[in-house]
Amino acid sequence: MAIQLFVPNFRVDECLEEIRECLVKGWTGLGFKTNQFEEAWKAYTGLSHAHYLSSNTVGLHLALELFKTKFGWADGDEVITTPLTFVSSNHAILYSRLTPVFADVDDSLCLNPESVASRITEKTRAIVFVGVGGNVGQYHEVLKLCRDRGIKMVLDAAHMSGTRFEGRHVGHDADATVFSFQAVKNLPTADSGMICFQDEEDDVRVRKMSWLGINKDTYARTASQGAYKWMYDVEEVGYKYHGNSIMAAIGLVQLKYLDNDNSYRRQLANWYEELLSGHDNIRLVSITKGCESSRHLFQIRVKNRDELMLALNEHEVYPGVHYRDNTEYRMYASGKGQCPNAHKASTEILSLPMHMGISRRDVELVTSLVRQYAAE
Ligand SMILES: *Cc1c(COP(=O)(O)O)cnc(C)c1O
């Protein structure tokens, strides 16, 4: 049977039971389960604020837009980012009419603090740091650069549900942290995400921004009196970005199993490492000391990546690539040639199958093929 890169695992009966509650109650939109999921997420991560959204992509946009308007950043001000990410991280910068400035990555495939430092100018307002595969990389060194210079840190934690560093869930020290619960992430719903701000004030504002700018406090006040439900105010031109109760129902169930699932992912990673280490043609992308990674990905580097990919496909093994150097895309061609490590990595990296349906035998099969076809 074919071995796929990602296959989401849903506890079907439990998910249906939670969804059923929404349907019976007649409440499928914002509120009810979205509130429950926000509370459950805060309890699980220890983060002080959490707002449930329709995706991580919209969360990254909201974070930048909120800071831009709050601090009066100008159109064209700079945000340092990575070329080795899903395009969402960089599109969010363009949505807010800010300029993406690409810095290079280190061996963890996350931003390299030295490269980031070299890109800082008077116009640098924020850094988008991506925890690739669930790893923190040198996040703390990059955060220090931000703190020393009053630059905002936006952590794209799309791969980091359940990642802990020195025992604590990631996200508490970024200005904004954005998680993804998209269908193939390690806490899968169908599409949704969570935005977690450090400041209460930002959490309050993002709730308005994600619901068209409608002042819900007014809404809640008048609604509780029965009449005048329509008497809310619209304080700004917001967006329709909030999450809904059907997705949150699935998220609530998935969250219960997140730690178990992630520990199985770490088991798979250990097996991959055991069976692939010590081979000259195969480099393993390693995890930062002190980081308990969600292990959204297990990545290796080989010289003949495209050939190896085809050979594996012939054997019905379907790995992935995270990611193609974004400066190769027409939209980001301005950054071309500026990040040699990211560029080289993007030609060598391969993400091996990583999901709850992978067994030790599958890992043995995949690794024996990788060892056989990885060339000098
Ligand atoms: C998946 C992903 C996103 C986008 O998440 P959505 O919830 O699908 O919008 C952003 N950044 C990274 C690194 C991702 O992997």
Side-chain angles (χ1 to χ4, degrees):
M1 222 180 74
I3 303 179
Q4 304 290 346
L5 172 64
F6 297 135
V7 179
N9 180 29
F10 295 108
R11 282 71 184 185
V12 175
D13 290 339
E14 280 184 69
C15 287
L16 290 177
E17 201 41 52
E18 286 283 336
I19 292 171
R20 194 187 154 76
E21 257 190 68
C22 301
L23 300 180
V24 168
K25 190 181 169 74
W27 199 296
T28 52
L30 173 66
F32 186 40
K33 290 286 172 196
T34 65
N35 295 343
Q36 284 181 30
F37 190 33
E38 287 171 357
E39 290 309 311
W41 187 250
K42 286 192 283 181
Y44 171 79
T45 57
L47 300 178
S48 14
H49 310 287
H51 179 45
Y52 189 54
L53 297 170
S54 57
S55 73
N56 158 297
T57 305
V58 303
L60 294 170
H61 178 207
L62 286 172
L64 290 168
E65 192 70 33
L66 186 151
F67 291 142
K68 187 184 183 207
T69 46
K70 180 176 174 179
F71 299 110
W73 301 346
D75 282 359
D77 279 358
E78 295 167 4
V79 179
I80 298 175
T81 183
T82 171
L84 220 56
T85 185
F86 187 60
V87 286
S88 293
S89 324
N90 294 323
H91 279 14
I93 300 169
L94 295 181
Y95 294 158
S96 296
R97 288 197 233 105
L98 297 163
T99 304
V101 173
F102 292 96
D104 213 348
V105 302
D106 60 24
D107 284 347
S108 74
L109 307 177
C110 300
L111 282 175
N112 179 335
E114 274 115 65
S115 178
V116 169
S118 76
R119 301 298 199 265
I120 294 174
T121 72
E122 285 193 344
K123 286 187 167 178
T124 307
R125 303 289 174 244
I127 293 174
V128 174
F129 189 97
V130 180
V132 179
N135 188 12
V136 299
Q138 297 194 70
Y139 166 76
H140 297 93
E141 287 73 12
V142 176
L143 180 66
K144 189 162 183 312
L145 293 174
C146 291
R147 292 294 169 249
D148 291 348
R149 292 170 172 83
I151 295 168
K152 293 290 152 193
M153 169 59 86
V154 176
L155 177 59
D156 179 349
H159 302 173
M160 301 181 104
S161 294
T163 290
R164 293 179 179 84
F165 184 75
E166 292 177 346
R168 201 162 168 197
H169 198 284
V170 295
H172 58 90
D173 49 9
D175 296 290
T177 304
V178 190
F179 297 92
S180 173
F181 310 132
Q182 188 267 341
V184 300
K185 299 293 155 68
N186 65 324
L187 192 162
T189 58
D191 260 316
S192 58
M194 195 75 85
I195 189 162
C196 302
F197 283 99
Q198 222 174 28
D199 285 357
E200 167 93 38
E201 176 189 322
D202 297 339
D203 182 74
V204 169
R205 170 129 183 258
V206 84
R207 287 166 192 277
K208 288 177 207 156
M209 288 177 79
S210 71
W211 196 43
L212 300 154
I214 292 172
N215 178 334
K216 269 196 295 185
D217 293 342
T218 309
Y219 173 73
R221 199 167 62 235
T222 55
S224 68
Q225 293 166 1
Y228 302 110
K229 285 189 181 179
W230 43 272
M231 279 293 281
Y232 49 71
D233 195 8
V234 182
E235 298 186 339
E236 61 181 306
V237 181
Y239 303 90
K240 185 74 166 69
Y241 279 177
H242 63 77
N244 70 63
S245 285
I246 302 289
M247 287 301 116
I250 300 174
L252 275 164
V253 175
Q254 299 296 81
L255 179 56
K256 286 196 246 170
Y257 297 94
L258 180 60
D259 278 340
N260 268 328
D261 289 359
N262 284 350
S263 75
Y264 188 65
R265 291 166 180 281
R266 287 192 290 274
Q267 172 67 264
L268 292 174
N270 289 341
W271 286 335
Y272 276 128
E273 274 173 9
E274 173 201 331
L275 296 167
L276 290 175
S277 59
H279 288 264
D280 291 345
N281 301 337
I282 306 163
R283 273 171 71 191
L284 308 180
V285 176
S286 59
I287 300 295
T288 302
K289 200 162 170 286
C291 177
E292 186 183 58
S293 171
S294 62
R295 274 299 187 180
H296 177 59
L297 300 175
F298 183 86
Q299 292 173 287
I300 61 168
R301 292 178 70 158
V302 292
K303 291 273 154 47
N304 62 335
R305 196 270 315 281
D306 294 348
E307 223 177 272
L308 174 60
M309 177 77 104
L310 290 176
L312 290 166
N313 289 172
E314 293 268 294
H315 290 84
E316 291 191 65
V317 174
Y318 300 101
V321 173
H322 300 89
Y323 292 89
R324 188 164 169 218
D325 173 359
N326 282 195
T327 67
E328 298 271 294
Y329 299 134
R330 198 173 313 162
M331 286 312 305
Y332 298 104
S334 62
K336 208 171 158 92
Q338 289 169 14
C339 304
N341 292 336
H343 187 72
K344 184 149 190 289
S346 86
T347 66
E348 296 181 350
I349 46 183
L350 192 69
S351 305
L352 300 183
M354 184 56 106
H355 58 83
M356 295 306 111
I358 300 285
S359 65
R360 166 88 192 182
R361 270 184 63 105
D362 295 329
V363 173
E364 287 168 358
L365 174 71
V366 172
T367 53
S368 74
L369 291 168
V370 170
R371 288 197 308 262
Q372 186 181 342
Y373 292 105
E376 263 186 60

